[in-house]
Amino acid sequence: MSTKVHCAHILVKTETEAKNVKARLDRGEKFGAVAQQVSLCPSGKKGGDLGTFTRGKMVKEFEKVAFELCKGQVSGPVKTQFGYHIIKRLE
């Protein structure tokens, strides 16, 4: 089991927005470009890149999904107190 992951994410306010973002990614749009356009998180400026983090550093709903993803995989909408995230595991 990995102890740290490198992820990027896109944060939006609503589940509908998150589903729209996921649909754009599924159609082949680049994760970083979509993050720069729509993410509410300051990391959006860097294409959503959150860098590498260990367990216990993120809210538990986010962390659970981030650690379950395989490299290159993109999650569906993940709800936290901040809104809805689409998470991509980079490594």
Side-chain angles (χ1 to χ4, degrees), residues 4-71:
K4 57 187 181 180
V5 292
H6 182 187
C7 290
H9 79 134
I10 298 170
L11 173 64
V12 292
K13 280 213 180 327
T14 68
E15 187 174 13
T16 301
E17 286 176 284
K19 287 178 177 174
N20 290 340
V21 165
K22 179 71 164 104
R24 288 175 65 180
L25 297 171
D26 289 346
R27 285 194 301 269
E29 288 191 54
K30 295 275 185 256
F31 194 95
V34 177
Q36 288 176 336
Q37 288 172 11
V38 303
S39 185
L40 302 174
C41 181
S43 69
K45 290 179 184 58
K46 300 182 301 204
D49 195 337
L50 294 168
T52 301
F53 55 89
T54 56
R55 292 183 185 276
K57 295 289 185 208
M58 301 289 176
V59 293
K60 68 177 185 288
E61 304 90 342
F62 185 99
E63 179 182 288
K64 179 181 185 305
V65 174
F67 277 87
E68 287 172 354
L69 292 171
C70 298
K71 183 178 176 181

